Amino acid sequence: QVQLVESGGGLVQAGGSLRLSCAASGRSFSNYGMGWFRQAPGKEREFVSSISRYGSSTYYSDSVKGRFTISRENAKNTVYLQMNSLKPEDTAVYYCAGTAINAAVRADQYNYWGQGTQVTVSS
């Protein structure tokens, strides 16, 4: 089992930045590919970014490519999402997720989920 706890969400103006963190506890963190998803009110949960077990591969949705950066520190059991040039359409609850697959982009490929952290971008 892996427990995931997100932090770092908040309210920011358009053009600003936030850094989300996801702390993992439980079994060996480096065994898991990690991902970030988000869900806006009235919308389905969507893929944002993912990273392979040792960080050698990263993936991004087209909507965040060039603005967001995913990274991980296995020694700290933590994955990060650096979000720059934020837009009002980035407003959502952001979820951290873990998978036994090295790198995955679909929500149904993930077994472990955090509780989410709210990100609100004002115009």
Side-chain angles (χ1 to χ4, degrees):
Q1 286 286 347
V2 175
Q3 292 79 44
L4 302 173
V5 179
E6 303 96 334
S7 61
L11 174 64
V12 64
Q13 289 189 330
S17 298
L18 282 174
R19 188 195 198 200
L20 304 184
S21 298
C22 173
S25 60
R27 307 185 77 172
S28 180
F29 181 64
S30 60
N31 284 347
Y32 296 92
M34 299 297 296
W36 288 96
F37 290 77
R38 66 186 182 187
Q39 188 166 17
K43 295 187 177 181
E44 293 187 354
R45 191 169 298 190
E46 65 171 350
F47 170 77
V48 175
S49 182
S50 64
I51 188 167
S52 58
R53 296 187 186 105
Y54 292 96
S56 58
S57 298
T58 57
Y59 303 89
Y60 299 92
S61 69
D62 288 343
S63 61
V64 307
K65 198 173 295 182
R67 299 188 298 122
F68 290 11
T69 302
I70 191 171
S71 61
R72 65 190 295 166
E73 287 189 76
N74 286 350
K76 295 184 178 181
N77 285 5
T78 303
V79 61
Y80 305 97
L81 186 68
Q82 177 67 44
M83 304 187 295
N84 298 331
S85 302
L86 282 161
K87 305 174 181 179
E89 50 263 45
D90 294 318
T91 296
V93 177
Y94 282 71
Y95 296 91
C96 172
T99 175
I101 301 171
N102 195 22
V105 299
R106 298 198 322 265
D108 63 0
Q109 294 174 306
Y110 285 81
N111 307 101
Y112 306 103
W113 293 85
Q115 82 290 347
T117 185
Q118 177 71 47
V119 171
T120 303
V121 184
S122 63
S123 56

